[in-house]
Amino acid sequence: MVIVKESDMKYSEFLKENYHVLLEIFNCMRTGIWITDGTGEVLMVNDESMKAGGLLRDEVIGKNMVELVEMGYITESSALNAIANDREEMVIEEMGEGGYCVATSVPLKYRGKIDLIICIERDISEVVNLRNALHEQKEIADKIRE
């Protein structure tokens, strides 16, 4: 967890003032990045995160993570868990379009209050699919042995 000094600019203010530059930088990464405010409202999502979800950036920006869970876009939100527990949280999220990712959310505080939540996602859909295929092959092998 990172705490900003009293005299520094809030992270959320910096994000708003530098939104397009930061998004351009985050879009170069092969890791999904979500940034929400301290209530779970989505402020920024990079291109990598948009690949697996089935919604457009304009459809998630401004929505609260609670709404995205209720819509079935994700099954659980590490960002909401980080807000509720006031600490870094990690979950395996099942995406509405059938993909899976490991999401880790870290709260950034300003003057003792959560200002932003930074969520890093790693797509693990292929790993989950391979695990399921391996499980099916094992079941087939067990039936053949019987």
Side-chain angles (χ1 to χ4, degrees):
M1 186 176 323
V2 178
I3 300 175
V4 178
K5 297 175 190 169
E6 294 277 331
S7 61
D8 291 341
M9 176 188 293
K10 288 176 74 171
Y11 289 110
S12 54
E13 291 170 4
F14 181 82
L15 179 69
K16 288 175 187 170
E17 289 181 15
N18 298 282
Y19 179 86
H20 295 290
V21 173
L22 290 170
L23 184 59
E24 205 169 313
I25 291 168
F26 295 154
N27 281 339
C28 294
M29 299 178 183
R30 300 281 183 244
T31 300
I33 299 172
W34 287 70
I35 300 177
T36 74
D37 67 10
T39 68
E41 181 181 320
V42 179
L43 303 175
M44 179 181 282
V45 182
N46 75 341
D47 288 347
E48 192 69 21
S49 282
M50 293 288 83
K51 287 180 183 178
L55 292 177
L56 301 174
R57 181 177 284 113
D58 293 342
E59 295 175 300
V60 296
I61 298 291
K63 285 209 182 334
N64 193 287
M65 294 304 292
V66 172
E67 293 175 79
L68 295 174
V69 171
E70 288 172 353
M71 290 170 47
Y73 184 70
I74 55 174
T75 56
E76 184 178 7
S77 169
S78 63
L80 292 176
N81 292 350
I83 292 167
N85 299 316
D86 196 25
R87 66 171 191 246
E88 180 176 310
E89 292 285 338
M90 183 190 77
V91 299
I92 295 177
E93 295 177 351
E94 185 176 349
M95 309 297 282
E97 294 286 308
Y100 294 87
C101 71
V102 173
T104 304
S105 290
V106 179
L108 297 178
K109 291 186 173 186
Y110 180 78
R111 296 186 178 169
K113 295 178 85 177
I114 295 175
D115 186 34
L116 294 178
I117 299 290
I118 309 299
C119 178
I120 306 299
E121 296 178 324
R122 289 275 189 195
D123 187 347
I124 59 166
S125 299
E126 193 171 319
V127 173
V128 171
N129 291 337
L130 288 171
R131 184 195 69 190
N132 292 341
L134 203 61
H135 181 70
E136 288 175 16
Q137 289 298 320
K138 185 182 179 310
E139 287 180 348
I140 290 170
D142 289 346
K143 286 181 183 177
I144 291 172
R145 272 187 237 134
E146 287 177 12

